[in-house]
Amino acid sequence: MKLTPKLVIFDVDGVLVDVRGSFHRSIIDTIHFFTGRRVTYAEIHQWKNRTGYNDDWRLTTDWIASLRDEVPYAEVKSRFQKFYWGTKGRPGNVSRERWLVAHTRLERWSRRADLALFTGRTRRELRHTLEGGEANHLFRRAVTMDDVAKGKPDPEGLRMLLDGISPQQAVYLGDSIDDALAAKRARVPFLGILPRGSEAHRVRAAGLRELGALAVLHNVAELEKFWE
């Protein structure tokens, strides 16, 4: 199988950026704050194997509700943000993020096709990470949760990025059920990204294939195997 995309669209979390120490850690910290329970990274992947949880604030809110009396979404979001961004005198979990793909590789890809981002992050979260990785200028366009009326698995964001390009001239790389569903609904070819031997791979690989993933790669660099 070979692809000749004019547009390569990436999810960010788990695809371009390792977020186990940032977003995932903030889920764990927030649940512990409200319930006293220390949940695990493996349990996070069980929750993320369901549709509708591309929003980590919603996932955390519903998880807390399953453990104790419900806490309002806005209150959970506020506490989550403190763990993620940090407070005065205390660095946030965002400082633990790291890029999973070399800038030189992204730069090489940008000379072969237009690169774009479709993420469930806010614009502020995305801007912070892009500026930290010096990759901002390599992406033609980015769609965040602030830019759409409906988030993943709705295909609105992918359709915005296509902007007249045939869906078959694009490819979307993501790691979640909602990524795969959005691609399927937009008729955009999809490649799953799940690290070899990881809990995410064990839990989600079969589901991504069932939703039409052309392949499930172990890291984003393997895209080159399919790119003519």
Side-chain angles (χ1 to χ4, degrees), residues 6 17 26 40 55 57 59 77 83 86 102-103 109 119 127 141 144 155 163-164 175-176 182 184 187 204 206 222:
K6 290 184 177 180
V17 178
S26 296
T40 67
D55 177 348
W57 304 326
L59 183 156
K77 175 181 173 181
F83 285 122
H103 178 270
W109 288 350
T119 176
R127 183 171 59 248
R141 193 175 177 193
T144 72
D163 193 26
D175 70 332
S176 74
K184 184 175 183 178
R187 301 183 183 278
R204 287 202 296 281
E222 290 185 357

Side-chain angles (χ1 to χ4, degrees), residues 108-176:
R108 185 168 69 250
W109 288 350
S110 72
R111 294 194 292 268
R112 299 183 64 184
D114 287 333
L115 307 184
L117 302 171
F118 178 35
T119 176
R121 289 178 175 231
T122 65
R123 178 65 62 177
R124 178 191 177 197
E125 291 163 352
L126 180 62
R127 183 171 59 248
H128 177 87
T129 295
L130 287 179
E131 290 172 352
E134 300 180 348
N136 198 30
H137 70 284
L138 299 179
F139 299 99
R140 181 177 70 97
R141 193 175 177 193
V143 172
T144 72
M145 68 181 298
D146 297 328
D147 304 314
V148 293
K150 296 180 180 179
K152 304 173 192 178
D154 193 275
E156 178 187 358
L158 286 177
R159 289 173 176 156
M160 289 171 64
L161 290 169
L162 290 173
D163 193 26
I165 295 175
S166 165
Q168 293 304 309
Q169 293 179 310
V171 62
Y172 182 40
L173 290 84
D175 70 332
S176 74

Side-chain angles (χ1 to χ4, degrees), residues 39-88:
V39 298
T40 67
Y41 288 96
E43 289 176 288
I44 291 174
H45 290 297
Q46 293 291 341
W47 277 84
K48 284 188 170 289
N49 201 39
R50 313 175 193 182
T51 186
Y53 286 126
N54 192 61
D55 177 348
D56 284 348
W57 304 326
R58 171 53 56 196
L59 183 156
T60 307
T61 300
D62 288 357
W63 197 341
I64 289 168
S66 75
L67 299 173
R68 51 151 288 178
D69 293 339
E70 186 175 347
V71 179
Y73 175 87
E75 188 175 342
V76 173
K77 175 181 173 181
S78 176
R79 178 54 56 178
F80 186 108
Q81 292 288 73
K82 289 178 181 177
F83 285 122
Y84 181 77
W85 289 112
T87 55
K88 189 174 182 180

Side-chain angles (χ1 to χ4, degrees), residues 1 3 10 14-15 109 171-175 190-198 200-201 205 208-209 213-227:
M1 181 186 65
L3 301 171
F10 301 93
V15 175
W109 288 350
V171 62
Y172 182 40
L173 290 84
D175 70 332
F190 178 73
L191 291 170
I193 307 292
L194 297 171
R196 185 191 304 273
S198 66
H201 192 282
L208 297 186
R209 292 189 183 98
L214 301 176
V216 177
L217 314 183
H218 298 302
N219 59 71
V220 72
E222 290 185 357
L223 168 62
E224 294 186 350
K225 295 179 182 179
F226 300 89
W227 198 343

